[in-house]
Amino acid sequence: MTDHIITFNAGSSSIKFALFSVGADDLLQRAAAGQVDGLGGDARLEAKAADGRVLHDAAAPAGKLNNERDALAAILALMQARFPQLRLAAVGHRVVHGASRFSTATLIDATMLATLRTLVPLAPLHLPNNIAAIEATRRAFPGVPQVACFDTAFHRGGGFLREAYALPRDYFDAGIRRYGFHGLSYEYIAGRLAELSPREAAGRVIVAHLGNGASMCALRGGQSIDTTMGFSALDGLPMGTRCGAIDPGVLLHLIETHGYEAARLSDLLYKESGLKGLSGISHDMRELEASDDPRAGEAIAYFCTRVRREAGALAASLGGVDAFVFTGGIGENSGRVRAEVLAGLEWLGIAFDRDAQPEGREDRVVSVPGSQARAWVIATDEEAMIARHALRVIRAGAQGAITPSIPARHTDASLP
Ligand code: ADP
């Protein structure tokens, strides 16, 4: 039998998973990945082996895969059938929010789960899905250690100046802070760049994680020192359907003058804005690039303008830039977006030639030789990061640190 680690990333109606084998010296090797979509409706289970072979791709029979527990059991049964040597050593969960309580990946037990439930008001759209997946895993595979890996953890440690909003201090104490997200991606990229170019990784690096969700991070010596997302995953860049940074006065106006309520505002900001709202066509960059509608081009130009603007802000936080990394579905695949972004960043010392941009699937340098600061394309792998954390936590055999931190009450009720 071979030890394996499975990772889960639970959304509102989907669960993505990846399976890793644990080899000699604890080297993790991806064996398979896939997802269940349409949970609770017309569910479908897809899985591919690491070499791209389709292991399964079929709609579930009616009445099957109604909930997370069914989905997790179906995923594990499929993996056990395809990998008969599989022994499950741990499950790693991507958890969107750890607030100031969790500054590292943490073994899940009843106390930890209770703490996590108190954080739901901070991420009401996402944390309940993560918690449901954890509970379902506990029931489906009792006795298998589970590890929560937080998207916020990598950004912790910045202290008051970095994390506070300029509200009265009580709000900071009540948990109204800049947390930052996409931390698992940034942590992976920091590690990967250190393998590819230790000198650059030790310096000042801007990472642009551009996908349906999009944010940017300033890394100094591999540590996050600034990021564009804040209290929620709405801040910073415009995204597929999210608005990015917005004057809070707009929200007050919509509430006071147009009678908007929380649910309507939430739909507007999370689901109807960003590339989708700007273009009126699609949230999807590929579709926008394929369209000759001028609104599509304008949405792309808007997106790139905001990436450049945030790059300037992060460069100021870092005091200069030694490397710039593109990652995420758009960052890894859209030569057009990279070109539009970098065409405005020569002043940072990044020399870029649109025509000489090397294509390919490999992690690679896309700036021209001799560029003072280099631009990279590096494929992110959040699942690998989750699996590494899960393995580290079970090897340590101890619970990860629950930061004993500043008292944070984390519920709206406790606001001053
Ligand atoms: P998520 O935040 O959901 O993980 P991804 O990182 O998968 O998102 O990124 C999805 C985005 O990447 C979509 O806008 C998609 O159109 C874009 N994308 C994927 N491939 C390409 C491509 N070849 N060219 C341009 N955009 C692409």
Side-chain angles (χ1 to χ4, degrees), residues 16 209-213 283-286 289 328-330 333-334:
K16 294 183 185 157
H209 177 112
L210 310 179
N212 282 319
H283 70 280
D284 191 287
M285 187 58 85
R286 262 172 305 198
E289 289 190 358
I330 297 172
N333 297 300
S334 173

Side-chain angles (χ1 to χ4, degrees), residues 316-401:
S317 288
L318 288 165
V321 176
D322 299 307
F324 189 104
V325 181
F326 288 96
T327 193
I330 297 172
E332 291 165 31
N333 297 300
S334 173
R336 174 171 170 183
V337 167
R338 290 196 298 267
E340 280 195 38
V341 168
L342 292 180
L345 293 181
E346 295 93 343
W347 64 276
L348 285 177
I350 305 171
F352 177 75
D353 179 352
R354 178 188 282 260
D355 299 325
Q357 192 179 162
E359 289 301 334
R361 300 192 59 79
E362 301 290 303
D363 296 337
R364 61 199 183 278
V365 172
V366 291
S367 50
V368 298
S371 178
Q372 183 192 322
R374 293 206 289 182
W376 289 81
V377 175
I378 299 181
T380 197
D381 192 344
E382 288 152 300
E383 288 89 9
M385 204 64 238
I386 295 170
R388 275 183 221 166
H389 279 303
L391 186 60
R392 180 179 55 73
V393 168
I394 60 165
R395 288 286 184 257
Q399 196 160 317

Side-chain angles (χ1 to χ4, degrees), residues 10 37 109 147 154 222 268 362 375 379 392 408 413:
D37 281 316
D109 60 15
V147 177
F154 187 60
L268 173 70
E362 301 290 303
R392 180 179 55 73

Side-chain angles (χ1 to χ4, degrees), residues 43-339:
R44 185 174 193 89
L45 170 56
E46 297 173 15
K48 281 186 181 171
D51 60 10
R53 229 170 355 110
V54 174
L55 297 174
H56 190 86
D57 184 3
K64 292 275 178 184
L65 299 191
N66 280 329
N67 53 39
E68 279 93 357
R69 188 178 176 184
D70 290 351
L72 298 174
I75 291 168
L76 188 66
L78 175 66
M79 292 296 103
Q80 280 171 328
R82 295 290 185 270
F83 301 93
Q85 296 299 312
L86 184 156
R87 180 173 54 209
L88 200 55
V91 176
H93 291 273
R94 180 179 186 176
V95 177
V96 71
H97 216 312
S100 52
R101 296 300 303 276
F102 299 104
S103 56
T104 184
T106 301
L107 194 69
I108 297 169
D109 60 15
T111 314
M112 187 277 175
L113 202 47
T115 307
L116 201 54
R117 285 196 195 95
T118 69
L119 305 182
V120 165
L122 289 179
L125 296 181
H126 300 103
L127 258 186
N129 299 322
N130 301 151
I131 291 172
I134 291 170
E135 286 170 337
T137 311
R138 281 160 74 89
R139 286 194 296 271
F141 329 130
V144 176
Q146 293 194 66
V147 177
C149 304
F150 299 94
D151 250 339
T152 46
F154 187 60
H155 301 294
R156 297 280 57 73
F160 182 80
L161 285 186
R162 246 181 55 202
E163 294 188 9
Y165 289 103
L167 295 168
R169 278 180 177 260
D170 288 351
Y171 288 78
F172 177 81
D173 295 340
I176 309 293
R177 304 180 189 182
R178 289 181 220 274
Y179 291 107
F181 297 86
H182 288 139
L184 293 161
S185 175
Y186 294 127
E187 190 176 7
Y188 176 84
I189 296 290
R192 181 74 184 120
L193 186 63
E195 290 171 359
L196 295 164
S197 173
R199 186 187 55 78
E200 280 161 285
R204 302 158 299 178
V205 180
I206 294 177
V207 185
H209 177 112
L210 310 179
N212 282 319
S215 73
M216 294 169 69
C217 182
L219 299 175
R220 184 185 287 137
Q223 305 292 316
S224 166
I225 66 143
D226 200 357
T227 188
T228 58
M229 279 180 175
F231 175 76
S232 73
L234 279 176
D235 204 1
L237 301 173
M239 307 174 214
T241 61
R242 289 175 243 163
C243 60
I246 187 168
D247 178 349
V250 173
L251 312 185
L252 288 175
H253 173 76
L254 293 175
I255 293 166
E256 288 167 354
T257 310
H258 297 278
Y260 276 46
E261 288 169 355
R264 175 79 189 90
L265 266 184
S266 175
D267 280 353
L268 173 70
L269 303 177
Y270 277 100
K271 297 181 183 162
E272 297 164 15
S273 299
L275 295 173
K276 181 183 174 194
L278 287 166
S279 68
I281 297 169
S282 172
H283 70 280
D284 191 287
M285 187 58 85
R286 262 172 305 198
E287 284 184 39
L288 296 180
E289 289 190 358
S291 167
D292 49 17
D293 188 316
R295 295 174 305 164
E298 205 165 42
I300 297 171
Y302 186 102
F303 181 77
C304 296
T305 304
R306 300 305 295 189
V307 173
R308 286 198 299 271
R309 191 175 186 279
E310 295 293 349
L314 296 176
S317 288
L318 288 165
V321 176
D322 299 307
F324 189 104
V325 181
F326 288 96
T327 193
I330 297 172
E332 291 165 31
N333 297 300
S334 173
R336 174 171 170 183
V337 167
R338 290 196 298 267

